[in-house]
Amino acid sequence: MELNLKGLDQKDMNAFHTLPSERAKIIYGSSPAAIKTTYTANQLASSLHPDIQYVKVAKIIEENDQVKTFVLVPNTEEKTQKLAYFRPGQYISIELKIDGGIYRRPYTITSSPKDALENFYTITVKRKKGIVSNYLFDHVKVNDTFSVSGPTGTFYYEPLRDAKNVIALVEGIGINQIISMALAIQDKILDCKLTIFYSVKTEKDILFLDKLIQLNKKNSPITIIILLSEEEKENYLHGFITKEMLDQYKEPETSFFISGSLSFYDRVNELLKEYNLSNKYIRHESFFGRVAIQNTNTYTITVLTEEKEISIPCNGKETLLEAMEKNGISAPSRCHVGDCGFCRSKLKSGVVRTFNNILTKADEENEYIHPCASFPESDIVIELPY
Ligand code: FES
């Protein structure tokens, strides 16, 4: 290969020729001590974003007969001494071994980030159909231990992107995604104005009522409006959120944070259409974006890992990740709704149906899928990330 030296003058050529000797001088003149392998910046990064944290249940609070709050502290007998800091609205993914399966599920942290500095998180769990929530609800006791991921997720207030005035529209257990933001404002960690429209069926379904009353104090930047859809009671509004209600709190620059069921999203999005907002002012939590699939066939999933190949059954109504969990295959995952990319795997053959339209163009071109958000439509071969 010929070098094109056109454009270089004599000075450049001289510098070029002295380069090797300059380098040699630096190399031979350097310290013989071993090269540093730990750097403060790396240590800080891994304390803020640990892959895994070992925790112990310090306390369980019964919020009502269907909801419990778990107070988690570091399990110092394992390797965790300090819990990672988080941004309000982020979640941790809990790993549990249940009946031979390995399950991971995301739970939003419902305490203030200030509490992480005091070395505890809370998560609030509703008993429902899901295997992990039911297990936590019915079997986990004080002093039980398990592992969780570092804080993950993008449903948080970002002052560089979001408006100073925030309206949160939440339904039922969706309050979990917003309560930490309200606590962070109270603790002066966040500086914004927050109005929460909290929609539940009846008064007994309201979560964190004492905290909400306390946050709603006069002259506080936080306003809480609770709507009951199935009963009329003093101190609460009745029915569904209306545009007239929002008009009272909307300012020219307002960010909307939405957390609730799919039907709640649809109704709220209809209301917000009238404001003609750009997308950046509407933030959705994605935990609820799951579709119901009516496919009763059973397929064979062949999973290729670094060491082995395993074939398992998967019915058409469950995601590939759910089938792997049930069969004790430890596949990486965090969000379970196709959002975080942790489970991204190569589809070697077969057809899947994905929900949430979560794949990037590059994923599609290179035949990657998110098993947490993919249902089988034929026998499948996938390769897990190593
Ligand atoms: S677990 Fe997050 S994308 Fe699959």
Side-chain angles (χ1 to χ4, degrees):
M1 188 178 76
E2 242 179 61
L3 276 179
N4 181 0
L5 299 177
K6 253 198 238 156
L8 295 181
D9 62 16
Q10 191 54 44
K11 219 164 102 210
D12 294 324
M13 294 305 286
N14 288 345
F16 187 66
H17 283 302
T18 55
L19 210 56
S21 56
E22 290 295 328
R23 278 207 184 138
K25 237 192 275 167
I26 293 169
I27 292 167
Y28 292 120
S30 61
S31 157
I35 294 174
K36 243 171 114 177
T37 52
T38 55
Y39 293 91
T40 315
N42 291 355
Q43 283 168 335
L44 179 65
S46 62
S47 71
L48 285 173
H49 309 287
D51 282 338
I52 190 162
Q53 309 185 90
Y54 297 93
V55 296
K56 181 162 81 176
V57 178
K59 190 174 169 191
I60 300 176
I61 303 156
E62 298 225 3
E63 303 286 353
N64 63 34
D65 60 347
Q66 294 298 311
V67 181
K68 285 182 182 175
T69 290
F70 295 78
V71 181
L72 307 178
V73 296
N75 175 8
T76 49
E77 280 160 37
E78 294 282 349
K79 285 188 210 114
T80 301
Q81 302 301 319
K82 273 210 75 44
L83 295 178
Y85 194 67
F86 66 95
R87 302 184 78 167
Q90 287 194 303
Y91 63 86
I92 46 175
S93 175
I94 292 182
E95 179 177 314
L96 289 173
K97 294 190 175 65
I98 306 168
D99 296 336
I102 302 173
Y103 298 87
R104 295 190 184 94
R105 290 291 180 279
Y107 290 92
T108 303
I109 304 170
T110 51
S111 43
S112 166
K114 192 168 152 228
D115 299 330
L117 298 175
E118 286 166 24
N119 235 356
F120 74 90
Y121 299 148
T122 65
I123 56 161
T124 301
V125 179
K126 182 173 184 187
R127 183 209 292 273
K128 49 185 179 188
K129 278 195 215 126
I131 185 162
V132 178
S133 291
N134 275 349
Y135 186 85
L136 280 166
F137 200 93
D138 294 330
H139 299 288
V140 170
K141 308 173 297 302
V142 169
N143 286 332
D144 280 0
T145 58
F146 43 85
S147 66
V148 303
S149 70
T152 309
T154 55
F155 188 70
Y156 52 73
Y157 179 79
E158 169 50 65
L160 293 175
R161 173 197 54 212
D162 301 318
K164 262 270 181 92
N165 186 47
V166 176
I167 297 182
L169 305 169
V170 302
E171 178 202 34
I173 194 81
I175 190 73
N176 276 356
Q177 277 72 44
I178 293 298
I179 188 74
S180 178
M181 189 199 287
L183 295 169
I185 295 171
Q186 186 187 43
D187 289 340
K188 303 205 176 336
I189 292 169
L190 286 184
D191 177 21
C192 60
K193 202 159 101 187
L194 173 66
T195 305
I196 303 177
F197 284 89
Y198 179 23
S199 198
V200 286
K201 286 184 182 155
T202 63
E203 188 182 32
K204 73 173 179 33
D205 299 313
I206 302 168
L207 284 181
F208 312 122
L209 184 57
D210 293 344
K211 273 189 194 150
L212 294 175
I213 291 171
Q214 213 243 328
L215 287 163
N216 197 28
K217 277 187 311 221
K218 223 175 154 201
N219 298 328
S220 145
I222 304 160
T223 307
I224 319 266
I225 296 151
I226 301 178
L227 296 100
L228 309 181
S229 61
E230 291 185 3
E231 64 182 8
E232 288 190 48
K233 278 213 158 172
E234 210 184 327
N235 297 329
Y236 307 111
L237 297 182
H238 175 65
F240 194 71
I241 305 161
T242 63
K243 170 144 181 313
E244 289 64 42
M245 291 176 195
L246 299 182
D247 285 344
Q248 291 176 45
Y249 298 90
K250 186 181 173 306
E251 293 176 5
E253 286 257 304
T254 297
S255 289
F256 288 88
F257 279 61
I258 308 171
S259 180
S261 65
L262 277 179
S263 60
F264 182 77
Y265 281 157
D266 290 344
R267 293 177 78 175
V268 159
N269 280 335
E270 240 1 86
L271 282 182
L272 297 186
K273 263 190 201 155
E274 299 192 38
Y275 292 126
N276 207 9
L277 297 165
S278 94
N279 284 347
K280 91 168 190 146
Y281 292 116
I282 306 180
R283 313 285 320 284
H284 282 166
E285 175 51 283
S286 45
F287 286 167
F288 298 86
R290 165 78 182 259
V291 291
I293 298 280
Q294 308 300 335
N295 178 354
T296 51
N297 295 330
T298 298
Y299 304 100
T300 299
I301 314 290
T302 304
V303 184
L304 312 178
T305 69
E306 200 169 16
E307 315 89 37
K308 49 188 176 190
E309 176 178 322
I310 313 154
S311 290
I312 54 168
C314 177
N315 76 55
K317 288 186 199 161
E318 63 188 353
T319 65
L320 306 187
L321 183 62
E322 285 164 349
M324 288 191 270
E325 289 178 333
K326 216 158 70 182
N327 287 279
I329 299 175
S330 177
S333 71
R334 286 209 176 166
C335 70
H336 266 247
V337 287
D339 198 45
C340 71
F342 266 78
C343 66
R344 193 167 163 273
S345 305
K346 181 106 178 154
L347 179 66
K348 305 286 271 186
S349 70
V351 182
V352 294
R353 175 165 172 198
T354 57
F355 67 92
N356 276 358
N357 193 21
I358 31 77
L359 296 171
T360 63
K361 199 143 183 50
D363 282 336
E364 277 169 3
E365 276 166 18
N366 294 295
E367 293 173 334
Y368 279 98
I369 58 166
H370 293 152
C372 69
S374 304
F375 297 89
E377 292 202 323
S378 72
D379 290 344
I380 304 284
V381 180
I382 58 166
E383 185 176 79
L384 293 187
Y386 301 143

